[in-house]
Amino acid sequence: MSAAVQKDRSTMLYGGQGTRRITVRDIAAAKARGEKWPMLTAYDALSARIFDEAGIPVLLVGDSAAMVVYGYESTIPVTVDELVHLTGAVVRGSKRAMVVADLPFGSYQASVEQALATATRFLKDAGAHAIKLEGGRRVAPQVEAMVAMGIPVMGHLGLTPQSVNTFGGYRVQGRGEDGEQLLHDAKALEAAGAFSVVLECVPEELAERVTASLSIPTIGIGAGKGTDAQVLVWQDMAGLVPHTAKFVKRFAAIGDALGDAARAYADEVVGGVFPSSEHTYH
């Protein structure tokens, strides 16, 4: 492999050869190169290590942990303390990936001061490298203040799960005139200093338009393939969750495999097969 090719690979987000942490500058450079990249959620050190070693450049400790880790019915109940602990585990379990922490509902909306205090906890106590928050123009002051303080911010527009009660359920957002409002919100986040923005459950044409209008990367989830990157909740992606949204593709059947393993273990215990001599100290 030539030195030029090796150099190119070292700068790639997915498949790159570098060992240092991915930064916001790397994310921006990927947009300039037209390079698409994957993002996954992670909530513990073990899954973080697996995804990090697989080359996933950005790991999101999403407030989706409310449902897939803590068993709540929505993202709204999860607390800062709960997510700080999970974020710390993901940071410790990874070496190269940028770790982005979600600010949970009620931890940043009230004021700039509240947002700064919450974001600071995630960076100081958990070691997060960036934070994510939902909303457009209404949270632009918070974004601007955090960026000025040195905290990288990822935005989130479209179907913002923390606003599910306002939306009346998990519905596609941005159709018709709402699309213009979403585009304005995306530009407001960029102007405030956000380094990227998630677009969730929006029409593909709108996502393509927003992506072309911004100099910062867009990350799609249920937004078609025209965005700069894609993100999925890892339990959805790996088939651990039985029922998923339309936009989810199952790349494995981990749930089925885990159930089979549990049943095989139980059968051997009940039948006196496990532990055998091979698994016993003498």
Side-chain angles (χ1 to χ4, degrees), residues 46-140:
L46 180 58
S47 64
R49 178 183 61 79
I50 292 171
F51 300 150
D52 191 60
E53 292 178 353
I56 304 300
V58 183
L59 297 177
L60 171 65
V61 187
D63 59 1
S64 46
M67 294 175 284
V68 297
V69 175
Y70 294 114
Y72 297 121
E73 292 185 357
S74 74
T75 65
I76 292 174
V78 74
T79 67
V80 172
D81 286 342
E82 288 171 329
L83 290 185
V84 163
H85 291 306
L86 300 187
T87 302
V90 172
V91 171
R92 292 188 294 271
S94 58
K95 295 180 179 178
R96 180 175 179 264
M98 172 192 286
V99 178
V100 181
D102 249 337
L103 300 190
F105 178 76
S107 70
Y108 62 92
Q109 292 96 334
S111 66
V112 167
E113 292 74 19
Q114 183 194 37
L116 287 173
T118 304
T120 298
R121 276 207 63 193
F122 278 100
L123 268 67
K124 286 180 66 68
D125 296 350
H129 310 117
I131 63 91
K132 182 174 78 65
L133 80 174
E134 297 182 1
R137 284 164 288 184
R138 63 182 173 83
V139 296

Side-chain angles (χ1 to χ4, degrees):
M1 183 181 294
S2 69
V5 172
Q6 286 182 333
K7 183 177 180 180
D8 288 341
R9 286 186 63 82
S10 70
T11 62
M12 294 171 61
L13 290 188
Y14 175 67
Q17 301 299 310
T19 56
R20 64 169 177 80
R21 289 282 185 180
I22 299 295
T23 71
V24 293
R25 294 187 65 181
D26 298 315
I27 301 297
K31 170 89 171 185
R33 293 192 301 269
E35 176 190 341
K36 292 183 179 290
W37 47 275
M39 180 166 80
L40 281 174
T41 62
Y43 314 98
D44 61 84
L46 180 58
S47 64
R49 178 183 61 79
I50 292 171
F51 300 150
D52 191 60
E53 292 178 353
I56 304 300
V58 183
L59 297 177
L60 171 65
V61 187
D63 59 1
S64 46
M67 294 175 284
V68 297
V69 175
Y70 294 114
Y72 297 121
E73 292 185 357
S74 74
T75 65
I76 292 174
V78 74
T79 67
V80 172
D81 286 342
E82 288 171 329
L83 290 185
V84 163
H85 291 306
L86 300 187
T87 302
V90 172
V91 171
R92 292 188 294 271
S94 58
K95 295 180 179 178
R96 180 175 179 264
M98 172 192 286
V99 178
V100 181
D102 249 337
L103 300 190
F105 178 76
S107 70
Y108 62 92
Q109 292 96 334
S111 66
V112 167
E113 292 74 19
Q114 183 194 37
L116 287 173
T118 304
T120 298
R121 276 207 63 193
F122 278 100
L123 268 67
K124 286 180 66 68
D125 296 350
H129 310 117
I131 63 91
K132 182 174 78 65
L133 80 174
E134 297 182 1
R137 284 164 288 184
R138 63 182 173 83
V139 296
Q142 286 93 319
V143 174
E144 187 172 2
M146 284 187 282
V147 172
M149 190 175 172
I151 302 172
V153 178
M154 177 183 288
H156 187 157
L157 296 172
L159 174 56
T160 47
Q162 293 176 12
S163 301
V164 64
N165 291 326
T166 300
F167 294 149
Y170 297 96
R171 304 173 183 275
V172 174
Q173 303 295 310
R175 290 192 170 121
E177 294 182 0
D178 289 342
E180 292 299 320
Q181 298 302 317
L182 189 147
L183 177 59
H184 291 321
D185 280 333
K187 290 182 175 179
L189 289 172
E190 179 180 39
F195 73 91
S196 60
V197 58
V198 172
L199 301 176
E200 181 170 357
C201 287
V202 301
E204 185 174 35
E205 296 79 9
L206 175 60
E208 291 175 350
R209 186 179 170 201
V210 173
T211 300
S213 299
L214 301 182
S215 62
I216 60 174
T218 57
I219 304 161
I221 176 168
K225 61 183 179 181
T227 54
D228 297 299
Q230 297 289 332
V231 62
L232 284 175
V233 172
W234 86 258
Q235 289 92 338
D236 291 341
M237 176 276 299
L240 199 61
V241 178
H243 304 291
T244 58
K246 175 183 179 180
F247 58 78
V248 173
K249 178 177 179 178
R250 292 176 52 155
F251 290 84
I254 300 299
D256 294 339
L258 193 58
D260 290 343
R263 283 185 286 271
Y265 159 72
D267 288 343
E268 290 200 5
V269 170
V270 172
V273 177
F274 178 83
S276 65
S277 178
E278 177 186 358
H279 304 102
T280 304
Y281 296 105
H282 301 284

